[in-house]
């Protein structure tokens, strides 16, 4: 259970909840009643630019709060310098919107940086203090125990999605000629084995996965079955594949990568994957973005991962029809 009863609890937990240390940001944490005790449960932790368009953000966040029956919210402005005043105004308007929709703002905090020793203030009570070391928080310990990393910046996460050397497609085309209709089954089966053993996909396998992903939405859906063996494992393997691809193949594999991150509870990283997939699609007009559009809406509206896990079930069904066997 994540407990956010004090300002220091909140400030120490934010990097772990987001997966990175935010800067020049407004962070909103929605909480609801616990199913097991009286401690609040975290429904959503979302980060917005400090100079964000408050109207659009408030519309989305208030909608999530109402839908998920949030009982409270904690707002934090992590911003210093000349932009701090405008950011605090934006955060106050966001709080007003939440209150108007029945979600009580429990705390409104401000700090210039989320680093140990930085001063914070509770804007409601004027209580002040120093930010503790976020790396020692209970939430951070839980994330590390689960094998998740906490990056120093959002850009550090985005850097994982940089383009690597492009996989040579010629061996993949030869494999397709040799295997014919069995090509998708063989490719998905091999990728699943690589993901389960946490191995690094070869360039040859990456090229073959790219061919399957770009061939049709149905075959792309079959690749979503990879999460049957674990969303974290599927994400790690598909990210390494996507970084070796270009064009429509990269769009589809990045979309799958983002889905796996979302299913693994890493909403911020999913958003990054979808943003890069969208940028890639702008230069690949032949790429189908139907699934990307759907998942973008899901992330923006804070749809619970359980609600889109059905996509994996559909993927398993499609893959089984191709002859892929699952344990």
């Amino acid at each position: 259970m994540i407990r956010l009863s004090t300002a220091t609890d909140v400030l120490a937990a934010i990097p772990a909840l987001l997966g990175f240390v935010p800067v020049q940001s407004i962070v909103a944490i929605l909480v609801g009643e616990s199913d097991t005790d009286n401690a609040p449960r975290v429904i959503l932790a979302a980060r917005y630019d400090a100079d964000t368009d408050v109207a659009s953000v408030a519309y989305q966040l208030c909608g999530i709060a109402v839908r998920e029956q949030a009982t409270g919210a904690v707002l934090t402005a992590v911003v210093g310098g000349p932009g701090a005043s405008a950011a605090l105004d934006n955060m106050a308007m966001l709080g007003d919107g939440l209150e108007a929709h029945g979600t009580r703002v429990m705390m409104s905090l401000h700090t210039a940086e989320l680093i140990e020793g930085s001063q914070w203030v509770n804007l409601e009570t004027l209580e002040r203090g120093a930010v503790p070391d976020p790396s020692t928080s209970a939430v951070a310990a839980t994330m590390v125990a689960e094998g998740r990393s906490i990056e120093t910046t959002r850009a550090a996460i985005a850097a994982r999605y940089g383009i690597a050397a492009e996989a040579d497609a010629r061996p993949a085309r030869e494999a397709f000629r040799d295997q014919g209709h069995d090509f998708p089954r063989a490719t998905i089966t091999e990728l699943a084995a690589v993901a389960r053993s946490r191995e690094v996909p070869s360039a040859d396998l990456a090229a073959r996965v790219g061919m399957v992903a770009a061939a049709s939405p149905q075959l792309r859906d079959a690749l979503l079955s990879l999460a049957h063996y674990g969303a974290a494992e599927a994400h790690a393997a598909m990210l390494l594949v996507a970084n070796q691809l270009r064009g429509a193949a990269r769009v589809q594999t990045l979309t799958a990568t983002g889905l796996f991150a979302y299913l693994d509870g890493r909403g911020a990283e999913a958003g990054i994957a979808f943003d890069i997939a969208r940028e890639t699609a702008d230069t690949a007009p032949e790429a189908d973005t139907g699934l990307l559009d759907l998942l973008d809406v899901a992330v923006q509206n804070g749809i619970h991962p359980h609600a889109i896990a059905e996509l994996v079930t559909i993927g398993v069904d499609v893959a089984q029809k191709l002859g892929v066997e699952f344990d």
Side-chain angles (χ1 to χ4, degrees), residues 158-228:
R160 299 178 194 160
Y161 291 78
I163 293 176
E166 184 175 5
D168 186 351
R170 289 174 295 183
R173 288 194 289 267
E174 292 177 4
F176 175 73
R177 286 194 294 268
D178 292 341
Q179 297 172 5
H181 293 301
D182 195 46
F183 179 77
R185 182 205 62 79
T187 299
I188 296 169
T189 299
E190 183 176 344
L191 180 62
V194 166
R196 293 175 71 184
S197 58
R198 295 181 176 268
E199 297 176 357
V200 176
S202 67
D204 173 56
L205 177 58
R208 284 184 279 130
V209 172
M211 286 182 64
V212 171
S216 71
Q218 182 182 36
L219 290 179
R220 185 272 325 282
D221 289 350
L223 289 169
L224 304 183
S225 66
L226 197 61
H228 174 77

Side-chain angles (χ1 to χ4, degrees), residues 151 153-162 243 250 269 272-273 276:
E151 299 291 356
T153 63
R154 186 178 187 275
I157 297 178
R160 299 178 194 160
Y161 291 78
N243 288 350
R250 180 164 167 79
E269 184 158 353
I272 289 170
I276 297 174

Side-chain angles (χ1 to χ4, degrees), residues 25 51 64-65 88 112 117 126 129 131 150 160 167 171 219 227 229 294 306:
S25 305
D51 59 354
I64 296 169
L88 293 177
L126 299 185
V131 175
I150 302 171
R160 299 178 194 160
L219 290 179
Y229 296 112
L294 173 67
H306 290 165

Side-chain angles (χ1 to χ4, degrees), residues 19 59 61 81 87-88 107 111 114 134-135 180 206 216 235 240 256 290 303 315 322:
Y59 178 80
L61 190 63
L88 293 177
M107 280 185 271
T111 183
L114 274 179
S135 67
S216 71
H235 173 269
L240 293 173
I303 301 300
L322 294 171

Side-chain angles (χ1 to χ4, degrees), residues 73-108:
V74 178
L75 302 178
T76 303
V78 185
V79 57
S85 179
L88 293 177
D89 287 343
N90 283 342
M91 187 170 73
M93 287 187 281
L94 189 59
D96 289 343
L98 287 166
E99 293 272 5
H101 285 79
T103 300
R104 181 174 65 90
V105 176
M106 302 158 59
M107 280 185 271
S108 292

